[in-house]
């Protein structure tokens, strides 16, 4: 769950850095962040696959029946 959340939020943050018109970051840094964003988006896609979610089910809450 943490990997999914961090990879999705991280990808969104990197996209915002890259598309901000007056962010103050040099072009080389935006390109670098774009590459990292693509890799992080790949992690997000892999982490949200059904097979991965089935392999790591949410643990049952204590005291909850069913």
């Amino acid at each position: 769950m943490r990997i999914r959340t961090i990879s999705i939020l991280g990808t969104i943050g990197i996209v915002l850095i890259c598309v901000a018109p007056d962010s103050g970051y040099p072009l080389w840094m935006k390109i670098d962040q774009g590459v990292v964003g693509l890799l992080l988006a790949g992690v997000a896609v892999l982490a949200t696959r059904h097979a991965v979610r089935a392999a790591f089910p949410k643990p049952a809450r204590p005291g909850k029946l069913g």
Side-chain angles (χ1 to χ4, degrees), residues 6 10 16-17 22 28 32 43 51 57-58:
I6 291 171
L16 292 175
I17 287 173
D22 192 22
W28 67 267
D32 177 56
V43 170
K58 289 184 179 179

Side-chain angles (χ1 to χ4, degrees), residues 9-51:
L9 292 176
T11 303
I12 292 170
I14 289 173
V15 167
L16 292 175
I17 287 173
C18 289
V19 300
D22 192 22
S23 62
Y25 295 113
L27 180 61
W28 67 267
M29 189 171 185
K30 287 186 176 187
I31 292 170
D32 177 56
Q33 288 299 306
V35 171
V36 172
L38 288 175
L39 294 173
L40 201 54
V43 170
V45 168
L46 292 175
T48 56
R49 290 178 54 208
H50 180 69

